[in-house]
Amino acid sequence: ETGVTQTPRHLVMGMTNKKSLKCEQHLGHNAMYWYKQSAKKPLELMFVYSLEERVENNSVPSRFSPECPNSSHLFLHLHTLQPEDSALYLCASSQELALQETQYFGPGTRLLVL
Amino acid sequence: QKEVEQDPGPLSVPEGAIVSLNCTYSNSAFQYFMWYRQYSRKGPELLMYTYSSGNKEDGRFTAQVDKSSKYISLFIRDSQPSDSATYLCAMSGNFGNEKLTFGTGTRLTIIP
């Protein structure tokens, strides 16, 4: 495996379910990110981790809970989601937490909340 | 007003044509400008990266930044069907780990 991988690639869940999205980067990077991509909207940064410490939470509702157990793995725990949370959730990583660093994106998890 | 405006398209052009993709922005503090390409069912990948004003060329791709007009462009010469994708502009200021602000993306189709 190379680059940034995400599982599952597709997820359908009810509003009362609890599920988790997983991201793994094989690049030796120190920073990881969660983004939300909705149709006809710009990419929205949700969370930023640097060396396993959360450094940014962009006013994301508490029904989204990130976890970064080590610098290679990032999770997004989901519970009691709403239909408007349906979107493509993208994970990214960069060598360091600096703007000049290129961010490498995973393929995303396509989430549908019913 | 959105910080970054980008026409979502879709934009369809014949193979071999020159493609022009554009974004405008309102924040004069933006200094770093990027173009990402996103194929269907894939994540975005960085295509071009420029700092401040000027042009940057990489093969068939040219990125232009006009800070006085708050306008950036991506030109694709000799367009190929493999260039069919969504193109996202992104930009940020000059303060360490300041986050990227993205456009909505322009969906481009090159017709063989």
Side-chain angles (χ1 to χ4, degrees):
Chain A
E1 290 273 19
T2 58
V4 181
T5 58
Q6 290 186 244
T7 54
R9 293 293 308 276
H10 301 272
L11 179 62
V12 180
M13 60 187 289
M15 289 190 283
T16 58
N17 291 158
K18 288 184 180 181
K19 296 287 184 183
S20 294
L21 310 184
K22 178 183 176 182
C23 174
E24 184 173 359
Q25 57 96 0
H26 310 269
L27 301 168
H29 289 170
N30 292 320
M32 297 188 77
Y33 314 76
W34 278 117
Y35 286 88
K36 176 183 179 182
Q37 187 175 35
S38 304
K40 298 184 180 179
K41 287 187 177 181
L43 275 171
E44 301 172 47
L45 180 64
M46 300 176 71
F47 300 104
V48 181
Y49 276 81
S50 176
L51 296 170
E52 302 138 51
E53 295 290 328
R54 191 191 310 180
V55 297
E56 185 154 346
N57 175 346
N58 268 359
S59 303
V60 179
S62 59
R63 57 186 184 268
F64 294 92
S65 174
E67 178 190 1
C68 187
N70 55 63
S71 60
S72 299
H73 293 85
L74 186 64
F75 294 89
L76 188 62
H77 304 299
L78 316 172
H79 62 100
T80 60
L81 293 194
Q82 304 298 310
E84 60 264 30
D85 296 322
S86 299
L88 181 68
Y89 288 85
L90 291 161
C91 173
S93 71
S94 61
Q95 183 64 54
E96 303 294 342
L97 184 63
L99 177 62
Q100 296 85 346
E101 296 288 343
T102 300
Q103 292 184 24
Y104 293 83
F105 285 83
T109 295
R110 177 73 61 186
L111 173 66
L112 178 61
V113 181
L114 300 175
Chain B
Q1 182 189 11
K2 294 179 185 176
E3 271 198 297
V4 178
E5 297 274 1
Q6 184 176 11
D7 186 340
L11 177 64
S12 296
V13 300
E15 183 176 355
I18 296 175
V19 176
S20 173
L21 303 167
N22 312 293
C23 287
T24 59
Y25 62 95
S26 58
N27 188 343
S28 57
F30 286 150
Q31 295 277 0
Y32 296 91
F33 303 92
M34 297 142 205
W35 286 96
Y36 282 82
R37 177 176 61 196
Q38 185 174 18
Y39 290 115
S40 180
R41 290 185 287 278
K42 294 283 181 71
E45 57 177 332
L46 183 67
L47 196 58
M48 298 285 283
Y49 178 110
T50 54
Y51 172 71
S52 195
S53 284
N55 294 358
K56 185 174 183 179
E57 188 173 322
D58 184 1
R60 297 184 294 110
F61 298 89
T62 300
Q64 282 187 356
V65 175
D66 182 349
K67 290 189 66 183
S68 62
S69 302
K70 297 190 181 69
Y71 188 88
I72 69 170
S73 300
L74 178 70
F75 297 96
I76 307 174
R77 291 185 300 280
D78 186 26
S79 55
Q80 305 293 311
S82 58
D83 296 326
S84 298
T86 297
Y87 289 80
L88 304 156
C89 64
M91 50 198 78
S92 185
N94 198 22
F95 301 102
N97 61 358
E98 189 173 319
K99 66 179 182 180
L100 291 175
T101 300
F102 284 85
T104 54
T106 299
R107 187 173 174 185
L108 172 67
T109 300
I110 307 299
I111 303 165

